[in-house]
Every structure is written in C-alpha cells, then in structure tokens.
Amino acid sequence: RYISTFRPSVKCEVAKNKAQWKTMGPAKVAVPSPKNFLQKHSKEPKLPARKKEQDSKKLPALSVPRRTDHPVMGIQSKKNFINTNAVAAITGLPKKPQPVYVDRRQGDKYLLETSGLVPKYIKKKDYGVTPKYVTRRNEEMRRAQKEYEASILEHLKKRAMKQLSDEERRSLLQGLKKNWEEVYHEFQGLSVEIDTIPKKLYKEKLESQMKQLEHDIEVIEKHKVIYIANE
C-alpha cells in the first residue's frame, strides 16, 4: 500500500507541539494589565478641540433691542383701531380655503397646488396659440388652391369653359334631387314579388338610375366650383 514520504516528519512535528496546547489556549499568553480596563465612551469618535474666536471678528448685528436701549416715550396715535378693524372686517373679502388633499381617510393633509394633480397646461406660454404645423398646412392648402385656380383659368382659356354660377348650381342640384324622388316613387310602386324578367329588368334600371343620381348629387354638393364646356 501507499505510504507517504512525509509521514516521519509529520509525526515529529505533532509530538513537538502537542505539549503546548494541553491548557486552554496557547501556553505563553501576555496577561492584560488590570489598569487598562475598558472605560465609558472610550470608543466614541472624539471631536477636535474648539478654537476660540478671534477678537478681531465682530459679532453680527442683533435684530432685537439691547438691554440698555429704552423705548421712545410720549408718542401717541389718534387712530381708532377698533373702528378700523371693524370696517376692514366688514368690507374685506372672505378668505378662501387653501385646496388640500389627504393620502388616506385619517391621513395627513398636503397642498394640492404643488402635488402635481392639478393640470397647469393653461398657464403655458403657447396655450391657445395655433400650432406651427396647422399654420404650415393652411398655407400649403391656400397655395395649392391658388395654383389650382390658376391652372383652371388657364385651362378655361384654352378649352373655352365657363363656370356655373351659384344660382345655376343650386337649380341643377334641386333638379337632380327632384328626379331622384320621382325615380324613388316609381321604385316604391313596384310589386313585392318580382317573378317575371321584365319586372326584374325594370327594377335594375330604376336602381341604376337612383345610384347615378345619388352620385351626381354627391359630386355637386362636394364641389363648390363647377366648370362646363361652353357649347
């Protein structure tokens, strides 16, 4: 079997130091002196010694009168403080309570103004001012409208087209609505049961006419300016 080569040296080392540990602790221990006992507040940090103030430094001026000062005597006021206070209490505005909030039912009170719960966006400098993107978009729309009108005028000069007046546009719109009502009246007069081919074709014709009239009415109502070819 395996035997370590350091076995004799280990046995010798153990036998050499065994006698020193027969008592509680090492054999030779320095006994503390009874004069070096732990005193009260000995481990607390000590502040440096306070330096005396220099004589050249002056003390700050006191806001209260000195002991040697005497009040000015003989000054009297003819003001009627009772009447003045009564008039001020009658004519004065009532004091408004300061808005507060509480964190729970029986909790502490805190100021509502500085809590962040009150929106203060109305106090911003740019409140009520038109945003820049809206102004820019309006300018772009106005410029596009001018360009469109200029192109239309140029096109009118080339094609000899004329613009419908408001009265003509209104009369045209009323005529289209009247035609739609007539076609719709005919559509309501159809029989409930469409069992023949002529009835079916007539119903499809009325539906197409109503659809076309609705489209024309929507186009005229959407566009305020209408141009037609000058015959």
Side-chain angles (χ1 to χ4, degrees):
R1 64 178 182 177
Y2 171 76
I3 298 175
S4 176
T5 57
F6 300 100
R7 186 174 183 181
S9 61
V10 171
K11 286 184 177 181
C12 181
E13 193 73 22
V14 171
K16 181 179 178 181
N17 299 328
K18 188 174 182 181
Q20 296 182 2
W21 300 93
K22 287 186 177 181
T23 59
M24 295 292 293
K28 295 180 180 181
V29 179
V31 180
S33 175
K35 296 181 180 181
N36 298 332
F37 58 88
L38 182 63
Q39 298 181 359
K40 186 177 182 181
H41 303 296
S42 61
K43 292 187 177 183
E44 293 181 358
K46 295 182 179 180
L47 298 176
R50 185 177 180 181
K51 296 181 180 180
K52 295 183 178 180
E53 297 181 355
Q54 298 179 3
D55 298 337
S56 60
K57 294 183 178 180
K58 295 182 179 180
L59 295 175
L62 299 177
S63 60
V64 297
R66 297 180 178 273
R67 185 176 59 180
T68 57
D69 295 344
H70 298 284
V72 180
M73 306 298 291
I75 298 177
Q76 296 181 359
S77 176
K78 296 182 180 180
K79 182 178 179 180
N80 191 345
F81 290 95
I82 297 177
N83 295 340
T84 304
N85 294 340
V87 172
I90 294 171
T91 58
L93 297 175
K95 186 178 180 181
K96 295 183 179 180
Q98 196 171 14
V100 296
Y101 77 98
V102 292
D103 50 4
R104 55 184 184 274
R105 187 173 182 181
Q106 295 179 350
D108 300 329
K109 292 183 179 180
Y110 303 96
L111 294 178
L112 186 62
E113 188 70 18
T114 58
S115 64
L117 302 174
V118 182
K120 296 185 179 181
Y121 57 89
I122 59 175
K123 298 183 180 179
K124 292 184 178 180
K125 295 181 180 179
D126 56 349
Y127 178 75
V129 181
T130 306
K132 294 182 179 180
Y133 74 93
V134 176
T135 306
R136 184 171 60 253
R137 184 178 61 183
N138 293 338
E139 292 177 356
E140 292 177 356
M141 292 175 61
R142 196 179 301 109
R143 184 172 61 254
Q145 183 66 22
K146 290 182 179 179
E147 293 177 358
Y148 174 74
E149 291 177 357
S151 62
I152 289 296
L153 291 176
E154 186 178 358
H155 185 70
L156 288 176
K157 292 179 181 178
K158 294 180 180 179
R159 298 288 301 274
M161 300 180 70
K162 70 174 183 178
Q163 179 182 351
L164 285 180
S165 61
D166 295 340
E167 188 64 27
E168 293 176 349
R169 177 178 170 276
R170 196 178 301 107
S171 62
L172 179 61
L173 189 60
Q174 290 177 358
L176 289 174
K177 290 182 178 180
K178 184 177 180 181
N179 293 340
W180 184 87
E181 291 176 358
E182 293 177 357
V183 176
Y184 183 69
H185 181 70
E186 294 182 4
F187 182 79
Q188 285 184 331
L190 294 175
S191 59
V192 178
E193 185 178 359
I194 309 298
D195 52 355
T196 60
I197 294 177
K199 290 182 180 181
K200 184 178 181 180
L201 294 176
Y202 185 63
K203 179 183 178 183
E204 292 178 356
K205 178 183 177 181
L206 293 177
E207 289 178 349
S208 62
Q209 289 180 359
M210 290 172 60
K211 188 175 182 180
Q212 184 63 34
L213 288 171
E214 289 175 357
H215 178 266
D216 296 341
I217 292 171
E218 183 180 359
V219 170
I220 294 175
E221 288 180 346
K222 184 178 180 180
H223 300 87
K224 303 297 182 182
V225 182
I226 300 175
Y227 298 94
I228 59 174
N230 191 6
E231 296 179 356

